Amino acid sequence: MPPRPLSPHLGVYKFMYTMSLSILHRLTGVAASFGFLLFVWWLMALAGGHDSYVRAMRLLDSPVAKLLLAGFAVSFAYHFCNGIRHLVWDTGRGLERAQARRSGAVVVAGAVMLSVLLIWLGCRAFGQMTGTGT
């Protein structure tokens, strides 16, 4: 019996940033899932009454929590933008190499802009909830 052909090993592929964007899409999906669990916890604290809400806001006011929330915003923004790219690909458009590279750059730029907007809005809203913002 002839030997079965082997799958291409990772060493066969040349590095291309589109591969990194694909891996990053999977990682940000996982990170966004954990971020939504944190969001659900906050909603439960909000529904649980004043004392549970105050405890949650005290925890979310820590620098580590703020960094995690910013990371969640970035992961959500990238996953959202790249998900739209994948939806366009599902229609059969944008699959040529040059188009895929261009859309990758658009996704990164869009994710950066959306991340900045989400973090700015979140800081504004958090400041109003804690009484420290305008």
Side-chain angles (χ1 to χ4, degrees), residues 16-37:
M16 294 172 44
Y17 72 89
T18 51
M19 290 170 43
S20 298
L21 296 179
S22 177
I23 294 167
L24 190 59
H25 184 71
R26 289 169 177 83
L27 293 175
T28 57
V30 172
S33 297
F34 285 113
F36 280 118
L37 288 175

mmCIF file of all heavy atoms in Angstrom, residues 16-37:
data_model
loop_
_atom_site.group_PDB
_atom_site.id
_atom_site.type_symbol
_atom_site.label_atom_id
_atom_site.label_comp_id
_atom_site.label_asym_id
_atom_site.label_seq_id
_atom_site.Cartn_x
_atom_site.Cartn_y
_atom_site.Cartn_z
ATOM 1 N N MET A 16 2.567 35.313 6.354
ATOM 2 C CA MET A 16 1.783 36.369 5.733
ATOM 3 C C MET A 16 0.878 36.933 6.818
ATOM 4 O O MET A 16 0.374 36.189 7.657
ATOM 5 C CB MET A 16 0.969 35.823 4.567
ATOM 6 C CG MET A 16 1.856 35.354 3.429
ATOM 7 S SD MET A 16 1.070 34.484 2.080
ATOM 8 C CE MET A 16 -0.371 35.383 1.721
ATOM 9 N N TYR A 17 0.710 38.251 6.810
ATOM 10 C CA TYR A 17 -0.068 38.843 7.888
ATOM 11 C C TYR A 17 -1.521 38.397 7.840
ATOM 12 O O TYR A 17 -2.215 38.423 8.857
ATOM 13 C CB TYR A 17 0.054 40.365 7.907
ATOM 14 C CG TYR A 17 -0.662 41.090 6.806
ATOM 15 C CD1 TYR A 17 -1.982 41.475 6.958
ATOM 16 C CD2 TYR A 17 -0.024 41.401 5.614
ATOM 17 C CE1 TYR A 17 -2.649 42.142 5.958
ATOM 18 C CE2 TYR A 17 -0.677 42.076 4.610
ATOM 19 C CZ TYR A 17 -1.987 42.446 4.787
ATOM 20 O OH TYR A 17 -2.644 43.108 3.792
ATOM 21 N N THR A 18 -2.007 37.932 6.684
ATOM 22 C CA THR A 18 -3.383 37.443 6.631
ATOM 23 C C THR A 18 -3.549 36.184 7.490
ATOM 24 O O THR A 18 -4.611 35.963 8.062
ATOM 25 C CB THR A 18 -3.801 37.162 5.185
ATOM 26 O OG1 THR A 18 -2.822 36.340 4.560
ATOM 27 C CG2 THR A 18 -3.945 38.452 4.393
ATOM 28 N N MET A 19 -2.473 35.385 7.595
ATOM 29 C CA MET A 19 -2.528 34.218 8.482
ATOM 30 C C MET A 19 -2.635 34.675 9.939
ATOM 31 O O MET A 19 -3.386 34.098 10.730
ATOM 32 C CB MET A 19 -1.270 33.354 8.305
ATOM 33 C CG MET A 19 -1.215 32.636 6.986
ATOM 34 S SD MET A 19 0.367 31.834 6.634
ATOM 35 C CE MET A 19 0.826 31.061 8.145
ATOM 36 N N SER A 20 -1.886 35.713 10.276
ATOM 37 C CA SER A 20 -1.934 36.238 11.642
ATOM 38 C C SER A 20 -3.319 36.791 11.959
ATOM 39 O O SER A 20 -3.811 36.634 13.081
ATOM 40 C CB SER A 20 -0.897 37.343 11.819
ATOM 41 O OG SER A 20 0.383 36.835 11.617
ATOM 42 N N LEU A 21 -3.930 37.438 10.976
ATOM 43 C CA LEU A 21 -5.272 37.971 11.200
ATOM 44 C C LEU A 21 -6.275 36.850 11.446
ATOM 45 O O LEU A 21 -7.193 36.994 12.255
ATOM 46 C CB LEU A 21 -5.710 38.817 10.006
ATOM 47 C CG LEU A 21 -4.908 40.087 9.733
ATOM 48 C CD1 LEU A 21 -5.449 40.804 8.503
ATOM 49 C CD2 LEU A 21 -4.914 41.010 10.927
ATOM 50 N N SER A 22 -6.094 35.726 10.772
ATOM 51 C CA SER A 22 -6.984 34.585 10.964
ATOM 52 C C SER A 22 -6.830 34.000 12.370
ATOM 53 O O SER A 22 -7.823 33.712 13.050
ATOM 54 C CB SER A 22 -6.679 33.518 9.912
ATOM 55 O OG SER A 22 -7.472 32.385 10.113
ATOM 56 N N ILE A 23 -5.596 33.843 12.808
ATOM 57 C CA ILE A 23 -5.350 33.322 14.156
ATOM 58 C C ILE A 23 -5.869 34.305 15.196
ATOM 59 O O ILE A 23 -6.484 33.920 16.196
ATOM 60 C CB ILE A 23 -3.852 33.031 14.348
ATOM 61 C CG1 ILE A 23 -3.427 31.881 13.427
ATOM 62 C CG2 ILE A 23 -3.522 32.717 15.791
ATOM 63 C CD1 ILE A 23 -1.936 31.709 13.291
ATOM 64 N N LEU A 24 -5.637 35.591 14.956
ATOM 65 C CA LEU A 24 -6.100 36.616 15.883
ATOM 66 C C LEU A 24 -7.627 36.632 15.969
ATOM 67 O O LEU A 24 -8.188 36.891 17.038
ATOM 68 C CB LEU A 24 -5.573 37.983 15.443
ATOM 69 C CG LEU A 24 -5.745 39.134 16.405
ATOM 70 C CD1 LEU A 24 -5.057 38.842 17.739
ATOM 71 C CD2 LEU A 24 -5.185 40.408 15.799
ATOM 72 N N HIS A 25 -8.296 36.322 14.870
ATOM 73 C CA HIS A 25 -9.763 36.262 14.882
ATOM 74 C C HIS A 25 -10.237 35.187 15.865
ATOM 75 O O HIS A 25 -11.179 35.414 16.627
ATOM 76 C CB HIS A 25 -10.276 35.975 13.471
ATOM 77 C CG HIS A 25 -11.765 35.977 13.358
ATOM 78 N ND1 HIS A 25 -12.510 37.128 13.436
ATOM 79 C CD2 HIS A 25 -12.646 34.968 13.190
ATOM 80 C CE1 HIS A 25 -13.789 36.830 13.317
ATOM 81 N NE2 HIS A 25 -13.898 35.521 13.160
ATOM 82 N N ARG A 26 -9.582 34.054 15.851
ATOM 83 C CA ARG A 26 -9.968 32.980 16.780
ATOM 84 C C ARG A 26 -9.682 33.375 18.228
ATOM 85 O O ARG A 26 -10.500 33.152 19.124
ATOM 86 C CB ARG A 26 -9.228 31.703 16.414
ATOM 87 C CG ARG A 26 -9.719 31.080 15.128
ATOM 88 C CD ARG A 26 -8.782 29.975 14.649
ATOM 89 N NE ARG A 26 -9.279 29.322 13.458
ATOM 90 C CZ ARG A 26 -9.113 29.764 12.231
ATOM 91 N NH1 ARG A 26 -8.462 30.888 12.017
ATOM 92 N NH2 ARG A 26 -9.589 29.104 11.193
ATOM 93 N N LEU A 27 -8.512 33.953 18.464
ATOM 94 C CA LEU A 27 -8.141 34.341 19.829
ATOM 95 C C LEU A 27 -9.055 35.437 20.372
ATOM 96 O O LEU A 27 -9.446 35.399 21.544
ATOM 97 C CB LEU A 27 -6.687 34.799 19.870
ATOM 98 C CG LEU A 27 -5.637 33.726 19.589
ATOM 99 C CD1 LEU A 27 -4.246 34.339 19.538
ATOM 100 C CD2 LEU A 27 -5.697 32.623 20.629
ATOM 101 N N THR A 28 -9.397 36.405 19.524
ATOM 102 C CA THR A 28 -10.273 37.469 20.006
ATOM 103 C C THR A 28 -11.696 36.966 20.226
ATOM 104 O O THR A 28 -12.423 37.519 21.049
ATOM 105 C CB THR A 28 -10.284 38.668 19.036
ATOM 106 O OG1 THR A 28 -10.682 38.228 17.736
ATOM 107 C CG2 THR A 28 -8.937 39.349 18.984
ATOM 108 N N GLY A 29 -12.087 35.923 19.516
ATOM 109 C CA GLY A 29 -13.390 35.316 19.780
ATOM 110 C C GLY A 29 -13.451 34.724 21.175
ATOM 111 O O GLY A 29 -14.441 34.888 21.896
ATOM 112 N N VAL A 30 -12.380 34.062 21.572
ATOM 113 C CA VAL A 30 -12.313 33.502 22.925
ATOM 114 C C VAL A 30 -12.280 34.621 23.962
ATOM 115 O O VAL A 30 -12.992 34.588 24.970
ATOM 116 C CB VAL A 30 -11.086 32.573 23.068
ATOM 117 C CG1 VAL A 30 -10.889 32.138 24.497
ATOM 118 C CG2 VAL A 30 -11.229 31.366 22.152
ATOM 119 N N ALA A 31 -11.454 35.639 23.708
ATOM 120 C CA ALA A 31 -11.351 36.761 24.654
ATOM 121 C C ALA A 31 -12.686 37.496 24.774
ATOM 122 O O ALA A 31 -13.093 37.879 25.884
ATOM 123 C CB ALA A 31 -10.254 37.720 24.206
ATOM 124 N N ALA A 32 -13.371 37.687 23.660
ATOM 125 C CA ALA A 32 -14.672 38.359 23.702
ATOM 126 C C ALA A 32 -15.690 37.531 24.482
ATOM 127 O O ALA A 32 -16.529 38.085 25.187
ATOM 128 C CB ALA A 32 -15.174 38.631 22.287
ATOM 129 N N SER A 33 -15.598 36.214 24.398
ATOM 130 C CA SER A 33 -16.504 35.359 25.167
ATOM 131 C C SER A 33 -16.320 35.576 26.663
ATOM 132 O O SER A 33 -17.300 35.700 27.409
ATOM 133 C CB SER A 33 -16.268 33.893 24.825
ATOM 134 O OG SER A 33 -16.549 33.658 23.473
ATOM 135 N N PHE A 34 -15.069 35.638 27.106
ATOM 136 C CA PHE A 34 -14.810 35.906 28.527
ATOM 137 C C PHE A 34 -15.265 37.309 28.910
ATOM 138 O O PHE A 34 -15.785 37.528 30.008
ATOM 139 C CB PHE A 34 -13.335 35.708 28.860
ATOM 140 C CG PHE A 34 -12.935 34.267 28.937
ATOM 141 C CD1 PHE A 34 -12.065 33.733 28.014
ATOM 142 C CD2 PHE A 34 -13.444 33.438 29.926
ATOM 143 C CE1 PHE A 34 -11.703 32.397 28.068
ATOM 144 C CE2 PHE A 34 -13.093 32.102 29.997
ATOM 145 C CZ PHE A 34 -12.217 31.585 29.063
ATOM 146 N N GLY A 35 -15.092 38.253 28.006
ATOM 147 C CA GLY A 35 -15.545 39.613 28.278
ATOM 148 C C GLY A 35 -17.052 39.692 28.423
ATOM 149 O O GLY A 35 -17.562 40.424 29.271
ATOM 150 N N PHE A 36 -17.774 38.925 27.612
ATOM 151 C CA PHE A 36 -19.234 38.927 27.737
ATOM 152 C C PHE A 36 -19.684 38.252 29.027
ATOM 153 O O PHE A 36 -20.710 38.629 29.592
ATOM 154 C CB PHE A 36 -19.894 38.295 26.517
ATOM 155 C CG PHE A 36 -19.979 39.242 25.351
ATOM 156 C CD1 PHE A 36 -19.328 38.967 24.177
ATOM 157 C CD2 PHE A 36 -20.700 40.420 25.456
ATOM 158 C CE1 PHE A 36 -19.390 39.843 23.105
ATOM 159 C CE2 PHE A 36 -20.775 41.309 24.398
ATOM 160 C CZ PHE A 36 -20.116 41.020 23.216
ATOM 161 N N LEU A 37 -18.916 37.282 29.505
ATOM 162 C CA LEU A 37 -19.233 36.700 30.816
ATOM 163 C C LEU A 37 -19.082 37.745 31.914
ATOM 164 O O LEU A 37 -19.907 37.812 32.840
ATOM 165 C CB LEU A 37 -18.325 35.500 31.102
ATOM 166 C CG LEU A 37 -18.607 34.247 30.292
ATOM 167 C CD1 LEU A 37 -17.545 33.185 30.585
ATOM 168 C CD2 LEU A 37 -19.998 33.720 30.587
#
